[in-house]
Amino acid sequence: MELTTESVQALAQAIAIVGTGLATAWGEKVIGTAAIGAMVENESLFGKALVLTVLPETIVIFGLVVAILI
């Protein structure tokens, strides 16, 4: 099996996307559970919780940019 430049680039792009996807999923899980717990105690925190839950999505965007630059 011979590794070509194209196959190494494709593998690097896949690692960038998968890594950031897993990091985002973990971050949303942690933040989402904390946000739900906070909203149970105080319903007025919905807006802040929504913003904090969406914030980890930027990690995937960074991974996509890195994959495109590779």
Side-chain angles (χ1 to χ4, degrees):
M1 184 170 125
E2 184 178 330
L3 288 176
T4 62
T5 304
E6 292 84 18
S7 63
V8 172
Q9 285 178 345
L11 184 61
Q13 291 170 336
I15 291 172
I17 295 294
V18 170
T20 55
L22 290 174
T24 298
W26 180 75
E28 285 185 358
K29 176 192 70 116
V30 172
I31 293 171
T33 55
I36 290 172
M39 285 188 295
V40 166
E41 294 180 8
N42 187 359
E43 292 180 7
S44 66
L45 295 175
F46 176 74
K48 291 180 183 178
L50 182 64
V51 169
L52 289 175
T53 304
V54 175
L55 198 59
E57 289 294 327
T58 58
I59 297 171
V60 173
I61 295 171
F62 293 145
L64 180 64
V65 169
V66 167
I68 289 171
L69 291 176
I70 291 175

